[in-house]
Amino acid sequence: ETHKTARALLNKYPDMENLAKGLEGLQYLAGQKGFEKPADDAPQSVKDAFSAKMRELIGVPAKAEDYGITKPDKMPEGMTWDEESAKGFAELALKNNMSKEQVKAAIEFQTQLVSKQMEAYAVQQAKQLDEARATLRQTYGSDLNKAIAKAQGAAEWLGRGQKNEDGSFNID
């Protein structure tokens, strides 16, 4: 009866090698000051236990699927949802011990960033189109409509031309 606790502890280990590893881990933990990261030379079992506790404390799910990543309600116009990329990000997040809250914040940030980039791209494209129109007007002046008609004819000849409903072609 007096050694009941010791017997219970010893029965956890199937052989002397595992008992020695367990005692090594206990000795290491006994020398630590509270909950801190194990040293590089700490037994692997101690490192694994520390890692598991940290994941639990910060809320890292057990599997990548447990992040519950779904298509955001507000997708930037022109942006499409890629399920494979979402799965890949969830796996990356799990590997890097990200909490669900961190993953949610990262997705929201990325969605906002892409939205801003797409808006900037649309502004850039509109500016380039305006510049191209101005260059054509400057180059052809009053002959612009004739040049457009020739270009339209060439495009039609190649089978690619498209006319407006009234048969004209307009760059505005």
Side-chain angles (χ1 to χ4, degrees):
E1 277 311 306
T2 58
H3 302 293
K4 187 176 183 180
T5 306
R7 281 197 181 127
L9 176 65
L10 293 174
N11 285 334
K12 288 174 54 177
Y13 302 101
D15 54 42
M16 290 301 289
E17 183 178 340
N18 284 308
L19 175 61
K21 287 180 183 178
L23 290 174
E24 181 182 27
L26 287 173
Q27 181 181 9
Y28 179 82
L29 290 175
Q32 295 299 302
K33 299 175 188 170
F35 188 66
E36 58 185 42
K37 182 179 179 191
D40 292 339
D41 62 345
Q44 188 60 44
S45 61
V46 172
K47 292 178 186 178
D48 292 345
F50 174 83
S51 179
K53 187 64 175 175
M54 286 300 296
R55 292 170 67 87
E56 176 188 334
L57 290 172
I58 62 175
V60 177
K63 312 180 294 225
E65 299 83 31
D66 293 342
Y67 282 109
I69 297 175
T70 58
K71 179 181 174 182
D73 294 335
K74 296 180 183 178
M75 291 286 290
E77 188 174 328
M79 183 178 168
T80 57
W81 179 253
D82 181 1
E83 193 64 39
E84 288 303 310
S85 292
K87 287 179 184 176
F89 177 66
E91 290 168 10
L92 177 75
L94 186 65
K95 181 180 176 184
N96 288 281
N97 298 323
M98 292 178 71
S99 68
K100 287 183 178 183
E101 292 79 17
Q102 290 169 322
V103 166
K104 181 181 176 186
I107 290 171
E108 288 173 0
F109 176 81
Q110 178 67 14
T111 301
Q112 291 172 1
L113 177 65
V114 169
S115 181
K116 287 178 184 177
Q117 290 172 333
M118 292 180 84
E119 288 171 12
Y121 180 73
V123 168
Q124 177 190 17
Q125 292 297 306
K127 180 181 176 188
Q128 288 177 341
L129 182 58
D130 289 343
E131 289 171 356
R133 288 176 179 153
T135 299
L136 287 171
R137 286 188 180 104
Q138 183 179 3
T139 301
Y140 292 101
S142 62
D143 292 332
L144 179 59
N145 287 335
K146 290 179 188 175
I148 291 172
K150 285 182 182 180
Q152 182 180 5
E156 287 175 356
W157 181 76
L158 292 172
R160 297 187 187 128
Q162 294 190 13
K163 295 181 180 179
N164 294 330
E165 289 180 9
D166 65 358
S168 67
F169 181 80
N170 190 346
I171 66 167
D172 289 323

